[in-house]
């Protein structure tokens, strides 16, 4: 990407939009459109599904920029202010976007959660805002758009304004971008434990549907203001795709089939050999991240037996 100092902030915003973002001219009825047509809509998805470049806050009150100045808070890069009521969306751009998938490092993700929490509190922003769809600063029919801080932020810059909590508060995990990280972390671990059984007995589509169902349940049961379905679906799709293609890459489909065939060999085989085979299989499942109780269900043996196999 061209250096940020050589571009207007709205140009940076446009260049970093998803290739096919969700968008709409009203707050509902979101549709996926190519970037070229989506950028003219009043509301738009501004981050890629698994990468955070913009921390955005919904200030549901007039005078948010005055509040920032009076309290010496970090200035946003862009502000989109409703012309009728003065309510605004404030955009803080990150020079280095944070990946919230398995490819991203844990420390930046936790740092991002903490910064998001501090900004949300300091700006008196709406905690129910999903940080998914925002006022589109590329349009100005409904809002006045201001470019304020000309350079994007390094996450460490926020340490000049906030003392980050030593331990990420629970609240930071259930508001704003924290929900995305929390959902992803929970769902990916669940997927790791389940994928092998689907590779053996199911298919890719059924695995995706199972991951999506888990994500939907976790979203509604754990967040006071749940993420919208589009975000949940994008997370489930990413997790199921990566897990199916990468997490089990050490075994091919033919190898999985062979394992199943070995399990079905005739009962005339020596009991010792059969026990050894089952013990090896149970340990392979364990190495792939499955829990003991899940191995027990998959193999059809009591959990105590599986526990004994895993200890040897």
């Amino acid at each position: 990407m061209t250096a940020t100092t050589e571009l207007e902030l709205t140009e940076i915003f446009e260049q970093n939009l998803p290739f096919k973002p969700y968008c709409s001219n009203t707050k509902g009825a979101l549709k996926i459109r190519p970037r070229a047509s989506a950028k003219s809509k009043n509301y738009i998805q501004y981050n890629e599904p698994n990468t955070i470049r913009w921390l955005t806050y919904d200030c549901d009150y007039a005078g948010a920029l005055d509040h920032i100045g009076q309290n010496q808070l970090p200035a946003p890069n862009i502000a989109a202010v409703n012309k009728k009521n003065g309510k605004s969306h404030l955009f803080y751009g990150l020079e280095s976007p944070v990946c919230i998938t398995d490819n991203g490092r844990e420390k930046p993700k936790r740092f991002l959660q903490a910064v998001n929490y501090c900004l949300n509190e300091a700006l008196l922003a709406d905690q129910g805002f999903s940080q998914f769809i925002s006022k589109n600063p590329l349009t100005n029919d409904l809002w006045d758009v201001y470019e304020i801080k000309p350079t994007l932020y390094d996450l460490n810059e926020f340490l000049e304004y906030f003392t980050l909590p030593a331990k990420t508060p629970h609240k930071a995990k259930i508001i704003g971008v924290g929900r995305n990280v929390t959902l992803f972390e929970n769902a990916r671990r669940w997927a790791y434990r389940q994928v092998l059984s689907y590779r053996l007995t199911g298919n890719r589509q059924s695995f995706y549907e199972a991951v999506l169902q888990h994500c939907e349940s976790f979203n509604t049961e754990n967040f006071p203001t749940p993420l919208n379905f589009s975000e949940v679906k994008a997370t489930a799709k990413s997790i199921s795709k990566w897990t199916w293609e990468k997490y089990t890459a050490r075994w091919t489909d033919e190898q999985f089939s062979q394992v199943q065939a070995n399990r079905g060999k005739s009962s005339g085989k020596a009991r010792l050999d059969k026990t050894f085979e089952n013990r090896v299989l149970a340990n392979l499942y364990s190495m792939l991240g499955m829990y003991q109780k899940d191995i027990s269900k998959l193999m059809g043996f009591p959990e105590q037996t599986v526990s004994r196999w895993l200890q040897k």
Side-chain angles (χ1 to χ4, degrees), residues 213-269:
Q213 183 178 14
H214 175 82
C215 287
E216 287 185 277
S217 297
F218 185 87
N219 182 47
T220 56
E221 293 171 4
N222 290 275
F223 302 140
T225 304
L227 295 164
N228 64 49
F229 179 71
S230 299
E231 290 179 276
V232 174
K233 184 178 179 181
T235 299
K237 183 177 180 181
S238 173
I239 290 172
S240 63
K241 182 177 186 295
W242 189 94
T243 305
W244 189 272
E245 295 178 355
K246 304 294 184 182
Y247 193 74
T248 58
R250 69 193 78 183
W251 282 6
T252 65
D253 287 335
E254 290 75 16
Q255 288 171 317
F256 282 133
S257 298
Q258 185 60 49
V259 170
Q260 286 291 74
N262 289 340
R263 288 179 57 200
K265 288 181 179 179
S266 65
S267 58
K269 189 175 182 179

Side-chain angles (χ1 to χ4, degrees), residues 45-149:
Q45 173 191 353
Y46 51 90
N47 279 321
E48 294 283 356
N50 300 317
T51 304
I52 305 299
R53 178 176 287 278
W54 297 96
L55 290 171
T56 305
Y57 301 92
D58 180 15
C59 294
D60 200 21
Y61 60 93
L65 295 179
D66 291 336
H67 172 74
I68 289 172
Q70 292 165 4
N71 292 277
Q72 298 182 323
L73 300 176
N77 295 105
I78 304 173
V81 182
N82 189 301
K83 292 180 178 181
K84 292 184 177 180
N85 56 30
K87 298 178 181 180
S88 59
H89 280 178
L90 306 179
F91 299 81
Y92 292 79
L94 302 180
E95 184 67 46
S96 298
V98 177
C99 176
I100 61 172
T101 71
D102 265 3
N103 294 324
R105 294 183 294 121
E106 288 299 314
K107 187 175 180 180
K109 286 189 280 189
R110 302 305 176 198
F111 197 174
L112 180 72
Q113 277 189 330
V115 167
N116 174 68
Y117 168 76
C118 290
L119 276 171
N120 204 88
E121 292 286 298
L123 295 171
L124 308 178
D126 180 5
Q127 295 184 2
F129 180 54
S130 70
Q131 296 192 352
F132 179 60
I133 300 293
S134 73
K135 295 176 172 65
N136 184 0
L138 302 178
T139 64
N140 55 17
D141 291 340
L142 300 180
W143 22 83
D144 294 315
V145 178
Y146 303 96
E147 297 189 11
I148 302 172
K149 184 179 182 295

Side-chain angles (χ1 to χ4, degrees), residues 269-279:
K269 189 175 182 179
R271 180 179 297 274
L272 182 60
D273 289 342
K274 187 65 176 178
T275 300
F276 177 79
E277 176 190 342
N278 287 329
R279 185 167 70 246

Side-chain angles (χ1 to χ4, degrees), residues 127-192:
Q127 295 184 2
F129 180 54
S130 70
Q131 296 192 352
F132 179 60
I133 300 293
S134 73
K135 295 176 172 65
N136 184 0
L138 302 178
T139 64
N140 55 17
D141 291 340
L142 300 180
W143 22 83
D144 294 315
V145 178
Y146 303 96
E147 297 189 11
I148 302 172
K149 184 179 182 295
T151 57
L152 302 185
Y153 281 92
D154 182 289
L155 275 176
N156 288 313
E157 286 184 61
F158 292 105
L159 296 177
E160 299 174 13
Y161 300 91
F162 306 117
T163 300
L164 302 185
K167 183 178 180 181
T168 305
H170 175 68
K171 188 177 181 181
K173 301 178 182 180
I174 61 174
I175 63 173
V177 71
R179 288 173 296 181
N180 302 75
V181 175
T182 301
L183 174 63
F184 183 86
E185 289 299 312
N186 173 273
R188 74 177 179 88
R189 290 187 172 91
W190 183 90
Y192 297 164

